Amino acid sequence: MRADLVEQAAQIVKDPPILINMVSKRVRQIAQGRPPLVERRPGLREADLALLEIIQGKITVQNIDGN
């Protein structure tokens, strides 16, 4: 994972465990064949793509308690 992308995503998702869970889930989805929601550039791995999706607002934290 690129450190600069982690830092940018951490500004959006302030809770580190939630950020980790979001990235992990999205990496699994991409590995299972779901297409990335951002342009795949050379040198970017699945975790980097997941971070870019968070940074660009393509995936967000959903409030599970309905608030």
Side-chain angles (χ1 to χ4, degrees), residues 43-59:
L44 291 182
R45 303 182 76 187
E46 287 82 1
D48 297 323
L49 293 171
L51 289 167
L52 279 172
E53 291 175 347
I54 293 168
I55 293 163
Q56 293 181 15
K58 305 286 184 180
I59 57 174

Side-chain angles (χ1 to χ4, degrees), residues 15-47:
D15 191 350
I18 292 175
L19 178 59
I20 291 166
N21 287 337
M22 288 176 69
V23 171
S24 297
K25 182 174 184 175
R26 190 63 183 127
V27 166
R28 281 192 302 276
Q29 291 174 346
I30 294 170
Q32 292 173 349
R34 289 207 186 157
L37 302 174
V38 296
E39 181 183 344
R40 187 183 282 264
R41 297 185 305 226
L44 291 182
R45 303 182 76 187
E46 287 82 1

Side-chain angles (χ1 to χ4, degrees), residues 15 18 21-22 25 60-67:
D15 191 350
I18 292 175
N21 287 337
M22 288 176 69
K25 182 174 184 175
T60 60
V61 176
Q62 293 184 359
N63 195 346
I64 59 173
D65 64 2
N67 292 332

